[in-house]
Short mmCIF file of all heavy atoms in Angstrom, two decimals:
data_model
loop_
_atom_site.label_atom_id
_atom_site.label_comp_id
_atom_site.label_asym_id
_atom_site.label_seq_id
_atom_site.Cartn_x
_atom_site.Cartn_y
_atom_site.Cartn_z
N GLU C 1329 0.83 -1.20 0.00
CA GLU C 1329 0.00 0.00 0.00
C GLU C 1329 0.86 1.25 0.00
O GLU C 1329 1.97 1.26 0.55
CB GLU C 1329 -0.89 0.01 1.25
CG GLU C 1329 -1.94 -1.09 1.28
CD GLU C 1329 -3.17 -0.74 0.47
OE1 GLU C 1329 -3.17 0.33 -0.18
OE2 GLU C 1329 -4.12 -1.53 0.48
N ARG C 1330 0.33 2.32 -0.58
CA ARG C 1330 0.97 3.62 -0.51
C ARG C 1330 0.38 4.42 0.65
O ARG C 1330 -0.11 5.53 0.49
CB ARG C 1330 0.81 4.37 -1.83
CG ARG C 1330 1.69 3.83 -2.95
CD ARG C 1330 1.60 4.68 -4.18
NE ARG C 1330 0.29 4.60 -4.81
CZ ARG C 1330 -0.14 5.43 -5.76
NH1 ARG C 1330 0.64 6.40 -6.18
NH2 ARG C 1330 -1.33 5.28 -6.29
N VAL C 1331 0.43 3.80 1.82
CA VAL C 1331 -0.10 4.40 3.05
C VAL C 1331 0.99 4.30 4.10
O VAL C 1331 1.53 3.22 4.35
CB VAL C 1331 -1.37 3.69 3.53
CG1 VAL C 1331 -1.87 4.32 4.82
CG2 VAL C 1331 -2.46 3.75 2.45
N VAL C 1332 1.31 5.42 4.73
CA VAL C 1332 2.34 5.47 5.77
C VAL C 1332 1.70 5.96 7.06
O VAL C 1332 0.97 6.96 7.06
CB VAL C 1332 3.50 6.40 5.36
CG1 VAL C 1332 4.56 6.46 6.46
CG2 VAL C 1332 4.12 5.95 4.06
N CYS C 1333 2.00 5.25 8.16
CA CYS C 1333 1.47 5.61 9.47
C CYS C 1333 2.62 6.08 10.37
O CYS C 1333 3.62 5.37 10.52
CB CYS C 1333 0.75 4.43 10.11
SG CYS C 1333 -0.68 3.85 9.17
N PHE C 1334 2.46 7.24 10.99
CA PHE C 1334 3.41 7.77 11.95
C PHE C 1334 2.77 7.63 13.33
O PHE C 1334 1.72 8.24 13.60
CB PHE C 1334 3.73 9.24 11.67
CG PHE C 1334 4.35 9.50 10.33
CD1 PHE C 1334 3.57 9.59 9.18
CD2 PHE C 1334 5.72 9.63 10.20
CE1 PHE C 1334 4.13 9.84 7.94
CE2 PHE C 1334 6.30 9.88 8.96
CZ PHE C 1334 5.50 9.97 7.84
N ASP C 1335 3.40 6.87 14.22
CA ASP C 1335 2.87 6.64 15.56
C ASP C 1335 3.58 7.53 16.57
O ASP C 1335 4.82 7.63 16.57
CB ASP C 1335 3.04 5.18 15.96
CG ASP C 1335 2.13 4.26 15.15
OD1 ASP C 1335 1.15 4.76 14.57
OD2 ASP C 1335 2.41 3.05 15.09
N PHE C 1336 2.79 8.14 17.47
CA PHE C 1336 3.32 9.05 18.47
C PHE C 1336 2.92 8.58 19.86
O PHE C 1336 1.78 8.18 20.09
CB PHE C 1336 2.78 10.47 18.24
CG PHE C 1336 3.24 11.10 16.95
CD1 PHE C 1336 2.53 10.87 15.77
CD2 PHE C 1336 4.36 11.90 16.91
CE1 PHE C 1336 2.94 11.45 14.58
CE2 PHE C 1336 4.78 12.47 15.72
CZ PHE C 1336 4.08 12.24 14.55
N ALA C 1337 3.86 8.65 20.78
CA ALA C 1337 3.63 8.28 22.17
C ALA C 1337 4.44 9.19 23.08
O ALA C 1337 5.28 9.99 22.61
CB ALA C 1337 4.01 6.81 22.41
N SER C 1338 4.20 9.07 24.40
CA SER C 1338 4.95 9.91 25.33
C SER C 1338 6.43 9.60 25.28
O SER C 1338 7.28 10.50 25.34
CB SER C 1338 4.41 9.72 26.75
OG SER C 1338 3.06 10.15 26.83
N ARG C 1339 6.76 8.31 25.14
CA ARG C 1339 8.15 7.88 25.01
C ARG C 1339 8.15 6.50 24.37
O ARG C 1339 7.11 5.81 24.36
CB ARG C 1339 8.85 7.85 26.37
CG ARG C 1339 8.19 6.96 27.39
CD ARG C 1339 8.95 6.95 28.70
NE ARG C 1339 9.09 8.29 29.25
CZ ARG C 1339 8.18 8.87 30.04
NH1 ARG C 1339 7.06 8.22 30.34
NH2 ARG C 1339 8.38 10.07 30.52
N PRO C 1340 9.25 6.06 23.81
CA PRO C 1340 9.30 4.73 23.20
C PRO C 1340 8.89 3.65 24.20
O PRO C 1340 9.31 3.64 25.36
CB PRO C 1340 10.76 4.58 22.78
CG PRO C 1340 11.24 5.99 22.60
CD PRO C 1340 10.53 6.80 23.63
N GLY C 1341 8.03 2.73 23.75
CA GLY C 1341 7.53 1.66 24.59
C GLY C 1341 6.19 1.94 25.21
O GLY C 1341 5.50 1.00 25.64
N ASP C 1342 5.76 3.24 25.26
CA ASP C 1342 4.45 3.57 25.80
C ASP C 1342 3.36 3.35 24.75
O ASP C 1342 3.65 3.28 23.55
CB ASP C 1342 4.43 5.03 26.26
CG ASP C 1342 5.21 5.24 27.55
OD1 ASP C 1342 5.74 4.22 28.07
OD2 ASP C 1342 5.30 6.39 28.00
N PRO C 1343 2.11 3.25 25.20
CA PRO C 1343 1.01 3.08 24.23
C PRO C 1343 0.93 4.26 23.27
O PRO C 1343 1.21 5.41 23.63
CB PRO C 1343 -0.24 3.01 25.12
CG PRO C 1343 0.27 2.59 26.46
CD PRO C 1343 1.63 3.19 26.60
N VAL C 1344 0.54 3.97 22.04
CA VAL C 1344 0.42 5.01 21.01
C VAL C 1344 -0.77 5.90 21.33
O VAL C 1344 -1.89 5.41 21.55
CB VAL C 1344 0.26 4.37 19.61
CG1 VAL C 1344 -0.03 5.44 18.57
CG2 VAL C 1344 1.51 3.59 19.24
N GLN C 1345 -0.54 7.21 21.37
CA GLN C 1345 -1.61 8.16 21.68
C GLN C 1345 -2.16 8.85 20.44
O GLN C 1345 -3.33 9.22 20.41
CB GLN C 1345 -1.08 9.23 22.65
CG GLN C 1345 -0.61 8.68 23.99
CD GLN C 1345 -0.16 9.78 24.92
OE1 GLN C 1345 -0.62 10.93 24.82
NE2 GLN C 1345 0.76 9.46 25.83
N ARG C 1346 -1.33 9.03 19.44
CA ARG C 1346 -1.77 9.68 18.20
C ARG C 1346 -1.15 8.94 17.02
O ARG C 1346 -0.05 8.40 17.11
CB ARG C 1346 -1.36 11.15 18.16
CG ARG C 1346 -2.05 12.02 19.20
CD ARG C 1346 -3.52 12.21 18.89
NE ARG C 1346 -4.14 13.14 19.81
CZ ARG C 1346 -4.72 12.78 20.96
NH1 ARG C 1346 -4.73 11.50 21.33
NH2 ARG C 1346 -5.28 13.70 21.74
N ARG C 1347 -1.87 8.95 15.92
CA ARG C 1347 -1.36 8.34 14.69
C ARG C 1347 -1.68 9.28 13.53
O ARG C 1347 -2.80 9.74 13.37
CB ARG C 1347 -2.00 6.97 14.45
CG ARG C 1347 -1.70 6.40 13.06
CD ARG C 1347 -2.12 4.95 12.95
NE ARG C 1347 -1.21 4.09 13.71
CZ ARG C 1347 -1.35 2.78 13.80
NH1 ARG C 1347 -2.36 2.17 13.19
NH2 ARG C 1347 -0.49 2.06 14.48
N LEU C 1348 -0.65 9.56 12.76
CA LEU C 1348 -0.80 10.39 11.57
C LEU C 1348 -0.70 9.48 10.35
O LEU C 1348 0.30 8.78 10.16
CB LEU C 1348 0.30 11.46 11.52
CG LEU C 1348 0.15 12.60 10.51
CD1 LEU C 1348 -1.09 13.43 10.80
CD2 LEU C 1348 1.39 13.48 10.51
N VAL C 1349 -1.75 9.47 9.52
CA VAL C 1349 -1.84 8.57 8.37
C VAL C 1349 -1.75 9.39 7.09
O VAL C 1349 -2.56 10.30 6.87
CB VAL C 1349 -3.15 7.76 8.39
CG1 VAL C 1349 -3.20 6.81 7.19
CG2 VAL C 1349 -3.28 6.99 9.69
N LEU C 1350 -0.76 9.09 6.27
CA LEU C 1350 -0.58 9.75 4.98
C LEU C 1350 -0.90 8.75 3.88
O LEU C 1350 -0.25 7.71 3.76
CB LEU C 1350 0.84 10.28 4.82
CG LEU C 1350 1.18 10.95 3.49
CD1 LEU C 1350 0.33 12.20 3.27
CD2 LEU C 1350 2.67 11.29 3.41
N GLU C 1351 -1.91 9.06 3.07
CA GLU C 1351 -2.34 8.19 1.98
C GLU C 1351 -1.96 8.85 0.66
O GLU C 1351 -2.48 9.93 0.33
CB GLU C 1351 -3.85 7.94 2.04
CG GLU C 1351 -4.31 7.30 3.34
CD GLU C 1351 -5.81 7.16 3.43
OE1 GLU C 1351 -6.52 7.75 2.58
OE2 GLU C 1351 -6.29 6.46 4.34
N LEU C 1352 -1.05 8.23 -0.07
CA LEU C 1352 -0.57 8.79 -1.34
C LEU C 1352 -1.17 7.98 -2.48
O LEU C 1352 -0.60 7.00 -2.93
CB LEU C 1352 0.96 8.75 -1.38
CG LEU C 1352 1.68 9.46 -0.23
CD1 LEU C 1352 3.18 9.37 -0.40
CD2 LEU C 1352 1.23 10.89 -0.11
N MET C 1353 -2.37 8.39 -2.92
CA MET C 1353 -3.10 7.62 -3.92
C MET C 1353 -3.70 8.54 -4.98
O MET C 1353 -4.90 8.55 -5.22
CB MET C 1353 -4.20 6.79 -3.25
CG MET C 1353 -3.68 5.83 -2.19
SD MET C 1353 -4.99 4.91 -1.34
CE MET C 1353 -5.87 6.25 -0.54
N GLY C 1354 -2.84 9.35 -5.61
CA GLY C 1354 -3.30 10.22 -6.68
C GLY C 1354 -4.34 11.21 -6.18
O GLY C 1354 -4.18 11.87 -5.17
N ARG C 1355 -5.46 11.29 -6.91
CA ARG C 1355 -6.50 12.26 -6.54
C ARG C 1355 -7.23 11.86 -5.27
O ARG C 1355 -8.02 12.65 -4.73
CB ARG C 1355 -7.49 12.43 -7.69
CG ARG C 1355 -8.24 11.18 -8.08
CD ARG C 1355 -9.06 11.39 -9.34
NE ARG C 1355 -9.82 10.23 -9.73
CZ ARG C 1355 -11.07 10.00 -9.35
NH1 ARG C 1355 -11.69 10.87 -8.57
NH2 ARG C 1355 -11.71 8.92 -9.75
#
């Protein structure tokens, strides 16, 4: 897939609090 997920947490190993999803699929 041309989909990239960026996971954010307070520190490495902690539960993911936010996720930024970039979908690169033309229009």
Side-chain angles (χ1 to χ4, degrees):
E1329 294 278 4
R1330 286 186 292 167
V1331 179
V1332 180
C1333 298
F1334 299 82
D1335 291 341
F1336 295 86
S1338 297
R1339 58 179 57 87
D1342 286 359
V1344 173
Q1345 299 182 28
R1346 294 289 186 270
R1347 170 169 287 180
L1348 192 63
V1349 181
L1350 178 62
E1351 301 176 348
L1352 304 181
M1353 302 178 296
R1355 62 187 181 92

